[in-house]
Amino acid sequence: EPEVTQTPSHQVTQMGQEVILRCVPISNHLYFYWYRQILGQKVEFLVSFYNNEISEKSEIFDDQFSVERPDGSNFTLKIRSTKLEDSAMYFCASNKVRENTEAFFGQGTRLTVV
Amino acid sequence: AQTVTQSQPEMSVQEAETVTLSCTYDTSESDYYLFWYKQPPSRQMILVIRQEAYKQQNATENRFSVNFQKAAKSFSLKISDSQLGDAAMYFCAYRSDLIYNQGGKLIFGQGTELSVKP
């Protein structure tokens, strides 16, 4: 069964450093998403991406964040200068919205900023 | 803006018994989708069940079923014959129909932690 793959599973970084979280969505999916879950809290939407551009972003997704799909398969989330409060689980998801299917989630990347 | 509320932070059920998790939502839209996701300790998000708002029939998936009350904006999940493997965090989620939201984002509730007692 096709799945969304995220790497790394766990990333530890120093405050102020740049991090790139990587995702390989399911190959025939059209929409891609990043969500964040701070430990013990609910899952929050960050950004959606369609046709090589951002279609929607939340208030959380400020200038420190960026996304891109550099090679048609990988979908990355970059945090330019990490803060302690960026520590969270980051989930990538994809779906074929036009077929009204559910979003498939990756297993998540745990980001720890120290 | 749409909101999703899960008022039960924690629930407990005896193995083989039935439990119902509550979810309410607020929206002015008429077409949308509702989901229940399960998050076990591994923190993977796993889809449990999906309901389209235009369907009056409640969705069922094996031991999992929903009670969808559109007028009341309520979407509860019933787990029958609970198993130890059902222990997890359960999230209710809302998604607008395409005509409202080209992005297709999910809006999640706060989650309900379900424990299953042997």
Side-chain angles (χ1 to χ4, degrees), chain A residues 6 21 31-38 42-48 56 58 60-61 65 67 75 77 86 88-95 103-106 108-109, chain B residues 35 37 45 93-95 101 103-108:
Chain A
Q6 289 186 243
L21 309 183
Y31 275 82
F32 314 109
Y33 310 86
W34 284 101
Y35 292 87
R36 179 182 82 174
Q37 185 184 31
I38 295 171
K42 68 177 178 180
V43 180
E44 300 173 293
F45 167 76
L46 290 178
V47 64
S48 60
E56 187 176 3
S58 72
I60 303 168
F61 194 87
F65 292 88
V67 290
F75 178 50
L77 174 69
D86 293 327
M89 196 77 162
Y90 288 81
F91 291 101
C92 173
S94 69
N95 69 304
F104 287 81
F105 281 78
T109 293
Chain B
F35 306 86
Y37 278 89
M45 296 291 286
Y94 174 103
R95 195 188 81 199
N101 179 4
K105 72 181 180 191
L106 289 167
I107 300 168
F108 287 88

Side-chain angles (χ1 to χ4, degrees), chain A residues 14-33:
Chain A
Q14 295 263 345
M15 188 170 56
Q17 294 295 306
E18 174 184 287
V19 293
I20 297 176
L21 309 183
R22 303 179 191 280
C23 170
V24 179
I26 295 172
S27 61
N28 60 349
H29 282 191
L30 303 175
Y31 275 82
F32 314 109
Y33 310 86

Side-chain angles (χ1 to χ4, degrees), chain B residues 66-77:
Chain B
V66 298
N67 183 6
F68 173 50
Q69 301 289 327
K70 190 172 184 180
K73 296 179 184 174
S74 170
F75 182 61
S76 61
L77 174 70

